Amino acid sequence: MSERRSRIVSLFKPFASAGAPRLGTRSRGDDTTWRGRLRRLGGHDEDDTMSEMYVHGYDPRENERLQDQAGTLVGLLHSDTAYPDGSTVLEVGCGVGAQTLPLAQRSPGARFTSIDVSAGSIAEAERKMHCAGITNVEFRRADIFALPFDPESFDHVFVCFVLEHITQPVEALALLGNVLRPGGTITAIEGDHGSTYFSPDSPAAHDAIRCQVELQRRAGGNPLIGRQLYPLMVEAGFDAVRVSPRMVYVDSSRPDLVEGFTRRTFTAMIEGVREPAISAGLIEPERFDAGVRDLRRTTEADGVFCYTFFKAVGFKDVGEKRRDV
Amino acid sequence: MSERRSRIVSLFKPFASAGAPRLGTRSRGDDTTWRGRLRRLGGHDEDDTMSEMYVHGYDPRENERLQDQAGTLVGLLHSDTAYPDGSTVLEVGCGVGAQTLPLAQRSPGARFTSIDVSAGSIAEAERKMHCAGITNVEFRRADIFALPFDPESFDHVFVCFVLEHITQPVEALALLGNVLRPGGTITAIEGDHGSTYFSPDSPAAHDAIRCQVELQRRAGGNPLIGRQLYPLMVEAGFDAVRVSPRMVYVDSSRPDLVEGFTRRTFTAMIEGVREPAISAGLIEPERFDAGVRDLRRTTEADGVFCYTFFKAVGFKDVGEKRRDV
């Protein structure tokens, strides 16, 4: 057995032994992260152009298209997550509730506790649930590294677009394991910017994407974390971990995704790091702008864009027997 | 409308207008391409270690595992391809019949004509069909750029791991359109080496993969063609083109894929270009070897490996109405 393998196996440690470091950038709610961008697709933010079109409905056809778009991505990420009636679910880092809404809608008989460090985000999330008639979610301001819950007090844990911002994701996962009852599940969803490729290919576009990656790394995060969910969950001590990739493939036969994902979500997210990337000396302005132009070029008739999210589900204290469930 | 878009639209030309350039490297059957490597998974080649284990069955458990592995990839690529009873299908570039076998098995009532430029490959494919009791395939030695068939003489066309080796893939697709009846389908499957990423990440491994990409390009091919199938099919004049990615995700919870895909298929394929890459001055031996070592590293307990194939289906002369069929 290799040294590395030994190290991994030795890290199947009890949950309680994990440390409790402080969290820095987890709740960054700006538009340069998935949390910031994707709430635009799943939610109804007042400051959101796409959602305003939905709320005010000034163009019914556009409205319908954007709802389809939101539905496509929400379905891609969440369609196979449903919790039994009466079960208790902790959602960690709910932000403004973009994922809370589809989660709660798909499991109307489950009781959700959704936490975030930002009181402002929680207020917005509460408003959103109220408007949607959702009554099975309780919000609470709390930090993932100082959870105000008893051990083994939840049947399930759900965490989406949070681990990518955490310096110690394994420790965070282990702490979540502490509040999970034996036999319960943890579900984690993350993107992976290194999964991005497109046609026409463009070194400048890859350079621009690398700026986002580097800035997120400097802030203590890991935007390539999607591919690492399996080893991270195993290292945190979860059993029977299964990871499934959720690839977004976009060509011009799918105009909803061209506009809603490639242009307004991914490319807009990269555009959002222009100033910090240039200020940090990561790239020349002309190179960055060429990269963004080439990302937009992939939205033309002969363009193609690919990105992959990863979804992991693990169990607490079941051994490997649940692997094929 | 952009200039590029105009160009694409103008290329929706009649099939008959396509030229007939010569094909150079299409039937390269070595182990440095998908055609070379994947026949090991789908077939029973006499010179094939994995297949010998199958044929001779010296380790029943290993045997079963490898069959599962072959089944996994064959299912991933072919499970949604079935042709109606009585329909005629042209398979182009059948090689030793690795794809012919599952194709013919899944459509026992269809009549296949499978062509390749290599008489040796055809002989091997014929032997394979005979052993498997397949009787609905007729083999013929022929070149994609000099098809010995009347116009509109097939109901469907199937082409897998061939376009990546062709300098003029659009012209090849257009010529295939000529022998397809109106309303018929063309199915194309290709890999994309630029879709490869893994954990632990490794610049050396990416450099080694780039050697394979560069060598294939110098031979007139395009190992990043998977992502381009949509625009190529559209440019060749097909209607209602739909592309679906087929991602292979491998972590240590899937030991069949770790061994069968990451190690014995992809990594072995890259290892196969060591000498030509070094001879061509593309890389230093130490760097290449480090890259291969890092690819093997992804097969350890905490490793992850990702690769994506693309499958495109288009119609002849149906307009866009069949898009959502």
Side-chain angles (χ1 to χ4, degrees):
Chain A
M1 185 180 282
S2 74
E3 192 183 2
R4 278 204 181 82
R5 188 179 290 235
S6 304
R7 187 178 59 79
I8 288 291
V9 172
S10 73
L11 280 161
F12 277 69
K13 57 181 181 290
F15 293 109
S17 71
R22 296 300 304 168
L23 171 61
T25 59
R26 175 168 59 87
S27 64
R28 217 170 53 160
D30 57 67
D31 281 354
T32 64
T33 69
W34 283 128
R35 296 189 80 207
R37 293 304 312 175
L38 285 179
R39 66 175 182 166
R40 298 182 170 255
L41 298 173
H44 309 245
D45 298 354
E46 280 182 330
D47 61 345
D48 181 325
T49 309
M50 292 175 73
S51 294
E52 282 202 329
M53 285 193 279
Y54 173 76
V55 172
H56 302 304
Y58 70 57
D59 179 342
R61 189 173 303 173
E62 178 77 355
N63 181 1
E64 186 182 345
R65 198 179 60 72
L66 292 169
Q67 283 190 275
D68 287 349
Q69 165 57 19
T72 300
L73 277 180
V74 167
L76 183 75
L77 300 179
H78 301 305
S79 62
D80 53 346
T81 296
Y83 297 107
D85 289 357
S87 62
T88 56
V89 184
L90 173 64
E91 184 200 7
V92 179
C94 62
V96 297
Q99 318 303 321
T100 315
L101 190 66
L103 268 186
Q105 283 173 330
R106 278 162 205 272
S107 301
R111 286 177 291 127
F112 291 86
T113 301
S114 296
I115 66 169
D116 201 274
V117 288
S118 161
S121 291
I122 285 178
E124 170 58 20
E126 282 182 323
R127 191 191 65 78
K128 189 178 297 180
M129 295 312 119
H130 180 73
C131 291
I134 301 287
T135 58
N136 58 331
V137 183
E138 180 190 343
F139 290 94
R140 187 157 171 183
R141 187 176 175 187
D143 190 299
I144 191 172
F145 287 114
L147 293 171
F149 306 110
D150 290 335
E152 304 186 358
S153 51
F154 291 95
D155 296 318
H156 305 284
V157 170
F158 181 91
V159 55
C160 181
F161 304 136
V162 169
L163 300 173
E164 63 170 325
H165 301 296
I166 292 181
T167 310
Q168 301 101 332
V170 171
E171 287 73 6
L173 286 167
L175 288 167
L176 295 177
N178 279 339
V179 300
L180 187 61
R181 71 161 171 79
T185 70
I186 180 166
T187 298
I189 300 176
E190 295 291 344
D192 188 318
H193 288 2
S195 74
T196 314
Y197 52 97
F198 34 80
S199 181
D201 202 3
S202 156
H206 284 292
D207 284 349
I209 294 167
R210 263 190 291 271
C211 290
Q212 206 280 355
V213 170
E214 181 57 25
L215 288 170
Q216 195 167 339
R217 279 185 174 149
R218 291 184 183 188
N222 175 10
L224 310 187
I225 200 170
R227 76 189 72 172
Q228 296 172 13
L229 281 183
Y230 178 81
L232 293 174
M233 297 265 284
V234 170
E235 194 172 342
F238 293 102
D239 294 335
V241 176
R242 290 297 277 183
V243 170
S244 56
R246 313 283 162 121
M247 184 170 171
V248 184
Y249 166 82
V250 187
D251 63 33
S252 58
S253 74
R254 310 174 195 229
D256 297 354
L257 285 170
V258 171
E259 186 66 18
F261 189 79
T262 308
R263 189 189 302 270
R264 295 202 194 188
T265 303
F266 188 86
T267 304
M269 182 170 69
I270 298 303
E271 284 182 84
V273 302
R274 184 181 190 278
E275 296 314 319
I278 292 168
S279 298
L282 296 178
I283 196 166
E284 293 298 316
E286 297 72 22
R287 180 72 171 174
F288 188 90
D289 294 341
V292 168
R293 205 160 47 236
D294 288 348
L295 284 175
R296 290 200 194 113
R297 170 68 183 81
T298 71
T299 66
E300 293 188 30
D302 62 347
V304 173
F305 187 88
C306 300
Y307 187 93
T308 300
F309 298 94
F310 292 80
K311 182 170 186 172
V313 178
F315 292 81
K316 179 172 179 179
D317 295 344
V318 300
E320 289 303 290
K321 65 186 175 185
R322 294 291 292 273
R323 171 154 287 163
D324 295 319
V325 169
Chain B
M1 187 179 282
S2 74
E3 192 182 0
R4 278 204 181 79
R5 187 179 289 235
S6 304
R7 188 176 60 78
I8 289 291
V9 172
S10 74
L11 280 162
F12 276 71
K13 57 181 180 288
F15 292 109
S17 71
R22 297 299 303 167
L23 172 61
T25 59
R26 175 165 61 87
S27 64
R28 217 170 54 162
D30 58 67
D31 280 354
T32 64
T33 69
W34 284 127
R35 298 189 79 206
R37 294 304 312 176
L38 285 178
R39 66 175 180 165
R40 297 181 170 256
L41 298 174
H44 308 243
D45 300 354
E46 280 182 331
D47 61 344
D48 181 326
T49 308
M50 291 176 74
S51 295
E52 282 201 330
M53 284 193 279
Y54 173 75
V55 171
H56 303 303
Y58 70 54
D59 179 341
R61 188 175 301 173
E62 176 78 354
N63 181 359
E64 186 183 345
R65 197 179 61 70
L66 292 169
Q67 283 189 274
D68 287 349
Q69 165 58 20
T72 301
L73 278 180
V74 166
L76 183 75
L77 300 180
H78 301 306
S79 63
D80 53 346
T81 295
Y83 298 108
D85 289 356
S87 61
T88 56
V89 184
L90 173 65
E91 186 201 6
V92 178
C94 62
V96 297
Q99 318 303 321
T100 314
L101 189 67
L103 268 186
Q105 283 173 331
R106 277 160 205 271
S107 301
R111 288 177 290 130
F112 291 86
T113 301
S114 295
I115 66 169
D116 201 274
V117 289
S118 161
S121 292
I122 285 179
E124 169 59 20
E126 281 181 324
R127 191 191 65 79
K128 188 177 298 177
M129 296 310 120
H130 180 72
C131 292
I134 302 286
T135 58
N136 58 332
V137 182
E138 180 190 343
F139 290 95
R140 188 160 171 181
R141 187 175 175 189
D143 191 299
I144 191 172
F145 287 115
L147 294 170
F149 306 111
D150 290 334
E152 303 186 359
S153 52
F154 290 96
D155 295 320
H156 304 285
V157 170
F158 181 90
V159 55
C160 181
F161 304 137
V162 170
L163 300 174
E164 64 170 326
H165 301 297
I166 292 182
T167 311
Q168 302 102 331
V170 172
E171 286 74 6
L173 287 167
L175 288 167
L176 295 177
N178 279 338
V179 299
L180 188 60
R181 71 161 171 79
T185 70
I186 181 166
T187 298
I189 300 176
E190 296 291 344
D192 188 317
H193 288 3
S195 74
T196 315
Y197 52 97
F198 34 79
S199 182
D201 201 3
S202 156
H206 284 292
D207 285 349
I209 294 167
R210 263 191 290 272
C211 291
Q212 206 282 354
V213 170
E214 181 57 25
L215 288 170
Q216 195 167 337
R217 279 185 174 150
R218 292 183 183 189
N222 175 11
L224 310 186
I225 201 170
R227 77 188 72 173
Q228 296 172 13
L229 281 184
Y230 178 80
L232 294 174
M233 296 266 283
V234 170
E235 194 172 341
F238 293 102
D239 294 335
V241 176
R242 292 297 276 184
V243 170
S244 57
R246 313 284 163 120
M247 184 170 170
V248 184
Y249 166 82
V250 187
D251 63 34
S252 59
S253 73
R254 309 171 196 231
D256 297 354
L257 285 170
V258 170
E259 187 65 16
F261 189 80
T262 307
R263 190 189 301 271
R264 294 202 194 188
T265 302
F266 188 86
T267 304
M269 181 170 70
I270 298 303
E271 284 181 84
V273 302
R274 185 181 190 278
E275 296 315 320
I278 292 168
S279 298
L282 295 179
I283 197 166
E284 294 297 318
E286 298 72 22
R287 181 71 171 175
F288 188 90
D289 294 341
V292 169
R293 204 159 49 237
D294 288 349
L295 284 175
R296 290 201 195 111
R297 171 67 184 81
T298 71
T299 65
E300 292 188 29
D302 63 347
V304 173
F305 187 87
C306 302
Y307 188 93
T308 300
F309 297 94
F310 291 80
K311 182 170 186 172
V313 178
F315 292 81
K316 179 171 178 180
D317 295 344
V318 300
E320 288 303 290
K321 66 187 175 186
R322 294 290 292 273
R323 171 155 286 162
D324 295 320
V325 170

